[in-house]
Structures are given as structure tokens and as C-alpha cells.
Amino acid sequence: YKVYKSIMGHPNIPYVHQFTREGEYNILIMDMLGPNLSSIMEAQSDGVLSVKTTLMLAMQMIDVMQHIHDKGFIHRDVKPENFLMGVRNTAPVLYLIDMGLAKKYSHDNKHIFRKTNKPLIGTVRYASIDTHRGIEQSRKDDMESVGYMLVYLLRGALPWQNVPADTTQEKYDKIRIIKESTTLEELCEDVPEPFRAYIETCRDLGFEESPNYAAMRGLFSGLMSELGVEYDNQYDWM
């Protein structure tokens, strides 16, 4: 609730009305939202989203990530289940939810230190390579996770999904190895070039470096122009 209150005021952040307790229950009252991107994908006949729809979503994702970063927070759990569409008048709007793992990366304009041997926080499928390596997360890791999610929306799967393992740690280790050994060309096969360039840009960022959000948006707006598609809020499911 405290994180929501700190970051509200952006069109892609839902309005939170109240936090209260009723007996043993904590209650967070927020605007009603529509389906998340995971359930939307499952409802598609081919289980993927079009390039046009993904590009419109990508622009909103970058906008909202920039907003929460500007407020001094990192999300740390970027995944399709945490991005929901609106309802009725806000049906074309993509909302970011679930601030349970969010963390302040900046205190009094001082960036947190780069620590190592950290446990993996977030959803392993979309975790950055540095997160797998136990490095403290920063803005670059949120943005890298967005990249993996965008490829997932376009392809319907990632190379490191459904890895068999006897333990959670073994699964994490196997996924890290596949993630490290899969080239971006292999990961982004049959996906337009700007998506590969985006992930490469994220991986090249320094720990304390501020992402160039405008340039990232430019990759995708440029592709929209190249393809001759308009940002008209007409998604695949509409």
C-alpha cells in the first residue's frame, strides 16, 4: 500500500483507495481491472500476440517502468500476470500491479550498493541473468525482464521453460545456464530486430545506470512506423 501511494498518479498505475484490516485479514481496496496478459494469451487461438499489439503494450510497459523508477523504486517481479488491462473506459490501458516485491533502489538520491550472493527474487522465467547470478537488482533488471516478457508474448514460449529438475535450486541453475548460453539471435528468432536490440541494450546497462527510456521507446515506435501500423488501441482481442 505504501508503494502504491508513492507511485500513484500515472495512467498505468491503478488507483488504490484504502488499506485496512478486518480481523486477521489485510484488505487493499483498488480500482477493478480486467484480465492479465497471461490469461489473454491463453485465450488466443494460437497462444501468441501480434507484433502490433505487443508493440502497443511495450510502449506502455516502458512508460510505467520509467515512472516507478523515477519514484525511486524497482518492481522486481515483471511478468504477464502482473500486467492487467483496464475495464470499460480504460479497456485499452495496461496496468502494472503487485508491488509486494518492490524495493527502494535510491535513498536521498543515493543509489543502493551492488551486493552479491543475493537470493533470486521474482519470477525465474523472466529474471535477468544478473539476478540469476546473485547480484542485487537495479533498474536494468526490471527492463531486461520486460524484454523477455515481450519475446514470450510474441513467441508463446521461452527456451528455458519447463526445465525438469528435482529441486528448486537445480531448476534455477538449469534455467540460468540455458539463459546464458542462448544467443539473442536464437532467443529472438522470427521476432523483429528491435526486440533483440532492446534486450541487448538492457544487458549492457551498468548497475547504477539510468536506462535511456526514450531510446527504448524509439526502438519500438520506429518499428511501428516501419511496419506502417498505428497506435490505435485496437488489440488482438478487441
Side-chain angles (χ1 to χ4, degrees), residues 217-229:
R217 279 189 292 268
L219 287 171
F220 298 131
S221 62
L223 179 58
M224 293 187 82
S225 298
E226 181 182 327
L227 297 175
V229 298

Side-chain angles (χ1 to χ4, degrees), residues 143-183:
M143 304 310 290
E144 185 176 332
S145 293
V146 167
Y148 298 141
M149 186 173 64
L150 292 173
V151 173
Y152 173 76
L153 297 179
L154 288 167
R155 300 191 65 183
L158 293 168
W160 44 83
Q161 280 182 235
N162 304 315
V163 175
D166 294 327
T167 66
T168 298
Q169 188 57 52
E170 182 186 358
K171 179 180 179 179
Y172 286 3
D173 291 341
K174 286 185 174 181
I175 290 175
R176 174 183 57 79
I177 291 169
I178 297 172
K179 224 174 256 190
E180 289 174 333
S181 61
T182 301
T183 67

Side-chain angles (χ1 to χ4, degrees), residues 183-215:
T183 67
L184 289 181
E185 287 72 24
E186 293 169 331
L187 175 64
C188 299
E189 184 180 1
D190 300 324
V191 168
E193 162 62 18
F195 291 93
R196 185 208 64 79
Y198 171 87
I199 298 175
E200 182 176 53
T201 299
C202 296
R203 288 183 176 181
D204 287 343
L205 287 168
F207 177 71
E208 295 188 17
E209 187 176 354
S210 177
N212 188 335
Y213 305 98

Side-chain angles (χ1 to χ4, degrees), residues 27-226:
I27 301 171
L28 188 70
I29 302 170
M30 62 195 298
D31 281 349
M32 180 179 288
L33 302 176
N36 66 51
L37 294 183
S38 181
S39 61
I40 287 174
M41 281 189 68
E42 291 173 2
Q44 299 300 299
S45 58
D46 52 2
V48 298
L49 300 183
S50 69
V51 173
K52 176 189 173 182
T53 284
T54 304
L55 286 171
M56 291 191 292
L57 296 173
M59 302 286 277
Q60 295 185 71
M61 290 175 192
I62 294 172
D63 282 348
V64 72
M65 297 313 300
Q66 179 178 4
H67 173 71
I68 68 170
H69 292 169
D70 286 348
K71 294 294 185 180
F73 290 92
I74 49 177
H75 188 276
R76 300 202 303 173
D77 196 17
V78 170
K79 59 182 178 181
E81 292 83 354
N82 283 340
F83 283 94
L84 282 63
M85 303 308 299
V87 293
R88 296 183 289 276
N89 294 339
T90 63
V93 180
L94 181 70
Y95 291 92
L96 176 63
I97 67 161
D98 195 352
M99 305 301 160
L101 296 179
K103 177 180 179 176
K104 287 279 285 182
Y105 74 88
S106 178
H107 299 273
D108 298 324
N109 293 320
K110 292 184 179 180
H111 200 286
I112 58 174
F113 294 111
R114 183 182 183 276
K115 299 178 181 178
T116 56
N117 298 316
K118 302 287 290 185
L120 193 150
I121 300 293
T123 301
V124 64
R125 181 185 295 179
Y126 307 101
S128 71
I129 289 178
D130 278 351
T131 299
H132 277 281
R133 293 170 176 167
I135 298 172
E136 179 81 61
Q137 292 186 50
S138 63
R139 290 169 287 185
K140 70 187 294 292
D141 302 287
D142 273 349
M143 304 310 290
E144 185 176 332
S145 293
V146 167
Y148 298 141
M149 186 173 64
L150 292 173
V151 173
Y152 173 76
L153 297 179
L154 288 167
R155 300 191 65 183
L158 293 168
W160 44 83
Q161 280 182 235
N162 304 315
V163 175
D166 294 327
T167 66
T168 298
Q169 188 57 52
E170 182 186 358
K171 179 180 179 179
Y172 286 3
D173 291 341
K174 286 185 174 181
I175 290 175
R176 174 183 57 79
I177 291 169
I178 297 172
K179 224 174 256 190
E180 289 174 333
S181 61
T182 301
T183 67
L184 289 181
E185 287 72 24
E186 293 169 331
L187 175 64
C188 299
E189 184 180 1
D190 300 324
V191 168
E193 162 62 18
F195 291 93
R196 185 208 64 79
Y198 171 87
I199 298 175
E200 182 176 53
T201 299
C202 296
R203 288 183 176 181
D204 287 343
L205 287 168
F207 177 71
E208 295 188 17
E209 187 176 354
S210 177
N212 188 335
Y213 305 98
M216 291 174 169
R217 279 189 292 268
L219 287 171
F220 298 131
S221 62
L223 179 58
M224 293 187 82
S225 298
E226 181 182 327

Side-chain angles (χ1 to χ4, degrees), residues 9-34:
H10 188 274
N12 299 102
I13 298 292
Y15 188 84
V16 173
H17 298 268
Q18 185 182 1
F19 173 76
T20 186
R21 291 187 174 88
E22 187 72 30
E24 61 181 304
Y25 299 102
N26 294 322
I27 301 171
L28 188 70
I29 302 170
M30 62 195 298
D31 281 349
M32 180 179 288
L33 302 176

